[in-house]
Amino acid sequence: MDFATLEALRLKHPAWRLLVADHAPFIASLLHQCFIESHARALPRAELASRLEALREGVRARRGDEAFPREASAYLDEWAADDAGWLRKFYPPGAEEPHFDLTPAAERAIRWLEQLTERPFLGTESRLLTVFQLVREMADGIEPDPAARVRELERRREALDAELARARAGRLERMEDAALKDRFQQLADTARGLMADFRALDEEFHALDRKARERIATWEGTRGELLEAVLGERDAISDSDPGRSFQAFWSFLMSPERQEALTHDLERVLAHPAVQSLEPDARLARVAFDWLEAGEHTQRTVARLSGQLRRFLDDRVWLENRRILQLLRGIERHALALRASPPGADFMALDGPALALELPLERPLFVPPSHARMEDAEALEAGEDVPSDALFSLTTVDKGRLKDNVRAVLRTREQVSLAEVVRAHPLQHGLAELVVYLGLASEDRRASIDDARTQDFLWSDASGRRRRATLPLVLFLR
Amino acid sequence: MTTPLPNPPASQDALSFVLVSLMKGVVSRDESPGTWQALLQSSARVRDQLGVLGLQLVLDEAEGHAFLRQRAPVDGAPELPRLVARRQLGFGVSLLLALLRKKLAEADASGEGGRLVLRRAELRELVQLFQPEVTNEARWMDRVEADIEKAVTLGFLRPVGEGADAFEVRRILKAFVDAQWLGEFEQRLARYRAHLTQTSGGEQ
């Protein structure tokens, strides 16, 4: 803890950077609320952004509009950037939008802040007992002499017998309120700490993986030597100390009886008046489930990293990667030299991934144009006068936006009906918008309009009245 | 290029389903798990059927994707008409694909989560270094946009999220932009450069 180390820490360590950040209270309160309080491990950007927005609005209402002028997502990206390092931004498999998780460093800073406001720990008794317990376990674990072990077990049995006798005689030693509170505080603290451990473990595993990859990528010797050096590392992730400890934790937690017993006992403890007086966090009751969830996240990380590392070590891939990087250096050099006069026209050929089958019959044949009829058989209310300015307040429908809507829905599917498009992107201008959709469908060679079937559309117009339209079935195809 | 069709029925139709899916484009484990499973179960039969058409199945279980390739002609046998179309790519797109391949290799080496997602601005930055110095910036931007669009139609970039601002570099790129292709690219560039030097009298 000398001056130079601390000076470097203040500049480099994300936790310290968070504490001295201009908006530290804002950042810490948001991250605390989103990740620590709710025990969340990963949040999609939209959700995190909307919560940030809510907090930002609250602050701006009090401080004026100059405070926090930027968009929510800009803040998130800044906090995830390397020079902040408070959030980890990543794309989980199959997800369309980036997700964020708190970094362990930021979590430590926030926890430290939390401790500043927490009431101090009541007693030291439970901690002392924990220490004794740990020491005894270790001593038992390393005891080489069977006779000594037998003596110890017998001593414990006598103590147990004595306690049994007292209980049979109707004498129970009930724990005093102070002792109960003391233990409960320690329990809550440890339980929360475990959640933090998962996050730190994740980072640890990522670091192990990165280290192995770096060695592979920069390896100068032969492949045989590489395999020898890295073979240990292949299981480096699950065989490391943190990896094993995590596995043991996981198999302990996975037992249904233990989970049930824990949940049941916790319920009883939480219901006790002395514990109630501490106003315990309600989430503590289901902490086992939160552990399971967070542990599963870590479990998946380990599996994914091991798989990727194995793939990366695959010799074909390894050799090809080196050759490719070499070729790419050549290409970049040439391309740089040719900057001023790049080759025109077609330069390279590439096999297409799909077969080029386009049958003439796939082009639509002539279809007699269908005549759209507007029917308002359900115009129930016509009692009041229709204000004539309704005729002038025209709305414009942005055709490009509707096209984008259709394209967005088609991105994940082969075909969609208009009703499904509208469900994903609700109507903003009612009938006018539907008409434009119909127009789009009639211009699109790959869309079809089927008069034989119909779909109903429901929406509320500007005055809040429910409207319904029945249109022929419109299908958009990719 | 991938078509996530609905899950195939469990009956003998599975084979037809797999064949048609393959003909329509890349089958990927993550995007159409049902088809992928059916493909793994019937890969031998799929290969037989495709052989008749002069096609070859490329199946990468580790990466989790499969696609079709034109089989190299056997000596003596008459060459079949090509079913797999060769697409002509401009210099810009070719360079973009090569640079994306590099990004993938780098991402693999650093172990960042397995999915490579780049923002539009990052893609522009990637090729910026290679733009002519005196140039009409707007026109150059348009060309880069067109190149990105082309990479999307080829199926090597996939827009993610709503704003169309971010693109995932799909790992299938590795199967197409391989050492052989890059080698050819490099040679062509070298030839072109030599040609330029000759015609401009050795100034380059």
Side-chain angles (χ1 to χ4, degrees):
Chain A
M1 283 289 240
D2 57 24
F3 176 75
T5 328
L6 290 176
E7 180 89 340
L9 264 187
R10 198 180 68 148
L11 286 175
K12 294 232 177 70
H13 200 284
W16 202 326
R17 269 198 310 243
L18 174 57
L19 292 176
V20 297
D22 286 347
H23 302 313
F26 180 76
I27 303 168
S29 68
L30 178 81
L31 297 183
H32 181 263
Q33 177 199 88
C34 292
F35 290 99
I36 297 182
E37 213 165 57
S38 58
H39 293 190
R41 281 309 304 277
L43 288 177
R45 177 164 65 189
E47 192 186 330
L48 195 55
S50 81
R51 292 175 73 165
L52 194 156
E53 202 55 44
L55 188 65
R56 192 171 78 112
E57 286 306 315
V59 174
R60 282 160 70 101
R62 257 179 286 137
R63 288 277 183 80
D65 281 352
E66 294 83 47
F68 303 103
R70 285 184 298 153
E71 288 278 307
S73 55
Y75 286 109
L76 293 180
D77 281 339
E78 187 185 307
W79 299 348
D82 281 340
D83 49 0
W86 304 321
L87 287 173
R88 188 168 74 87
K89 181 180 178 185
F90 62 104
Y91 283 84
E96 284 285 312
E97 64 176 328
H99 284 49
F100 290 93
D101 187 14
L102 198 59
T103 59
E107 178 163 19
R108 275 160 79 181
I110 296 171
R111 283 214 180 280
W112 185 75
L113 288 172
E114 216 173 26
Q115 280 168 14
L116 293 184
T117 57
E118 257 173 20
R119 75 193 92 190
F121 210 140
L122 274 185
T124 44
E125 183 204 357
S126 70
R127 287 223 247 191
L128 182 67
L129 286 179
T130 316
V131 171
F132 268 86
Q133 178 85 19
L134 287 173
V135 172
R136 164 117 62 76
E137 271 174 25
M138 287 189 287
D140 282 355
I142 55 175
E143 176 62 62
D145 178 13
R149 180 94 180 115
V150 168
R151 275 199 303 280
E152 169 65 19
L153 285 172
E154 272 169 358
R155 194 188 60 74
R156 261 188 245 171
R157 190 175 61 191
E158 275 158 30
L160 260 181
D161 283 342
E163 201 183 329
L164 264 173
R166 278 201 302 277
R168 287 215 180 90
R171 277 182 293 144
L172 276 183
E173 280 171 37
R174 308 236 329 174
M175 198 179 274
E176 278 177 37
D177 279 3
L180 195 63
K181 283 184 187 171
D182 175 349
R183 278 165 186 71
F184 186 79
Q185 294 249 7
Q186 202 196 346
L187 161 82
D189 210 47
T190 314
R192 268 199 310 250
L194 260 175
M195 288 301 290
D197 287 356
F198 284 124
R199 204 165 267 136
L201 261 180
D202 255 21
E203 197 185 60
E204 179 102 23
F205 291 142
H206 275 290
L208 282 169
D209 177 58
R210 235 187 333 263
K211 224 171 64 196
R213 276 164 198 269
E214 254 168 40
R215 283 183 71 181
I216 298 169
T218 56
W219 192 260
E220 290 296 337
T222 68
R223 216 183 97 71
E225 289 163 3
L226 170 72
L227 275 186
E228 210 168 290
V230 185
L231 209 57
E233 236 126 312
R234 222 192 240 233
D235 297 307
I237 293 171
S238 43
D239 274 351
S240 60
D241 283 350
R244 279 164 184 249
S245 173
F246 173 70
Q247 278 311 327
F249 165 87
W250 185 246
S251 38
F252 192 86
L253 190 64
M254 280 306 276
S255 142
E257 296 101 72
R258 290 206 187 95
Q259 274 175 48
E260 212 166 290
L262 178 70
T263 315
H264 179 70
D265 289 348
L266 252 180
E267 260 170 35
R268 282 182 48 208
V269 169
L270 282 171
H272 192 278
V275 172
Q276 280 292 322
S277 74
L278 291 174
E279 293 164 25
D281 182 359
R283 290 195 66 98
L284 204 58
R286 38 164 291 130
V287 76
F289 300 102
D290 284 338
W291 284 337
L292 270 181
E293 230 174 83
E296 209 187 314
H297 189 96
T298 307
Q299 188 84 338
R300 273 202 303 269
T301 307
V302 173
R304 210 191 57 232
L305 289 179
S306 300
Q308 283 173 8
L309 199 54
R310 216 169 304 131
R311 197 163 70 200
F312 189 60
L313 258 178
D314 184 307
D315 66 327
R316 195 170 43 84
V317 177
W318 185 71
L319 284 176
E320 172 145 325
N321 260 345
R322 316 203 94 195
R323 169 108 183 92
I324 278 173
L325 287 179
Q326 238 168 32
L327 285 170
L328 277 167
R329 271 195 288 277
I331 291 174
E332 282 177 340
R333 227 182 22 245
H334 290 316
L336 262 186
L338 294 171
R339 269 204 318 187
S341 43
D346 291 342
F347 197 71
M348 287 292 292
L350 186 70
D351 277 355
L355 301 193
L357 294 177
E358 191 161 19
L359 303 175
L361 282 181
E362 270 202 348
R363 296 177 183 273
L365 301 175
F366 171 76
V367 184
S370 60
H371 295 284
R373 300 174 309 276
M374 293 285 225
E375 295 169 10
D376 54 355
E378 288 190 50
L380 298 175
E381 307 167 56
E384 73 264 51
D385 286 333
V386 178
S388 57
D389 54 341
L391 290 171
F392 301 105
S393 62
L394 291 175
T395 52
T396 31
V397 179
D398 180 0
K399 198 164 167 183
R401 183 176 60 82
L402 303 191
K403 241 184 196 161
D404 286 345
N405 290 351
V406 174
R407 218 175 294 145
V409 181
L410 278 179
R411 200 175 288 155
T412 51
R413 308 178 43 187
E414 185 81 342
Q415 66 169 47
V416 284
S417 69
L418 180 53
E420 286 165 308
V421 174
V422 170
R423 208 170 301 137
H425 303 274
L427 295 177
Q428 296 175 5
H429 303 297
L431 191 59
E433 207 166 320
L434 283 178
V435 171
V436 177
Y437 272 124
L438 272 178
L440 280 179
S442 60
E443 286 163 15
D444 185 350
R445 183 160 77 80
R446 296 161 63 75
S448 71
I449 304 178
D450 183 358
D451 275 325
R453 290 189 285 165
T454 59
Q455 277 187 323
D456 282 353
F457 295 85
L458 284 164
W459 71 94
S460 309
D461 65 14
S463 57
R465 219 171 298 160
R466 296 294 291 165
R467 299 280 185 184
R468 184 164 89 182
T470 305
L471 295 184
L473 175 69
V474 177
L475 284 178
F476 292 99
L477 276 97
R478 178 117 51 119
Chain B
M1 123 181 119
T2 321
T3 35
L5 299 161
N7 280 344
S11 65
Q12 71 273 24
D13 296 343
L15 179 66
S16 321
F17 195 89
V18 169
L19 282 171
V20 173
S21 303
L22 278 169
M23 289 184 179
K24 292 197 77 168
V26 175
V27 170
S28 117
R29 179 180 54 207
D30 296 338
E31 281 161 38
S32 35
T35 317
W36 178 256
Q37 212 46 43
L39 169 63
L40 287 188
Q41 278 157 15
S42 54
S43 67
R45 284 169 68 205
V46 169
R47 278 177 211 279
D48 288 349
Q49 299 274 354
L50 290 172
V52 178
L53 295 173
L55 296 171
Q56 186 193 356
L57 173 68
V58 183
L59 177 72
D60 189 337
E61 283 198 52
E63 290 281 5
H65 51 225
F67 59 95
L68 301 181
R69 211 167 238 172
Q70 191 81 34
R71 208 176 42 189
V74 187
D75 284 338
E79 198 171 325
L80 291 166
R82 283 186 74 88
L83 270 174
V84 174
R86 277 189 87 74
R87 303 194 195 203
Q88 297 302 317
L89 305 180
F91 175 69
V93 188
S94 310
L95 185 63
L96 177 65
L97 293 184
L99 294 172
L100 287 177
R101 179 67 185 82
K102 185 177 171 198
K103 273 274 173 203
L104 259 187
E106 285 169 357
D108 275 358
S110 70
E112 282 303 324
R115 284 179 77 192
L116 175 61
V117 178
L118 297 174
R119 306 273 287 275
R120 198 180 279 275
E122 288 174 299
L123 288 173
R124 274 193 218 121
E125 230 168 75
L126 204 59
V127 281
Q128 187 139 39
L129 183 61
F130 304 99
Q131 75 161 305
E133 266 154 27
V134 233
T135 185
N136 180 343
E137 178 101 10
R139 225 179 63 204
W140 179 79
M141 287 285 224
D142 285 350
R143 204 171 314 147
V144 173
E145 291 302 312
D147 288 348
I148 294 175
E149 213 39 55
K150 179 84 179 169
V152 171
T153 19
L154 285 169
F156 298 128
L157 285 178
R158 192 175 71 92
V160 290
E162 288 291 311
D165 185 51
F167 298 87
E168 176 175 3
V169 184
R170 299 183 58 193
R171 301 189 66 82
I172 188 73
L173 177 72
K174 290 173 75 174
F176 287 87
V177 178
D178 53 6
Q180 196 191 341
W181 190 87
L182 287 169
E184 199 185 322
F185 189 22
E186 205 245 328
Q187 276 171 19
R188 271 185 197 222
L189 276 178
R191 276 206 301 273
Y192 178 80
R193 201 172 154 193
H195 166 75
L196 265 193
T197 324
Q198 266 172 16
T199 48
S200 64
E203 270 172 44
Q204 284 281 323

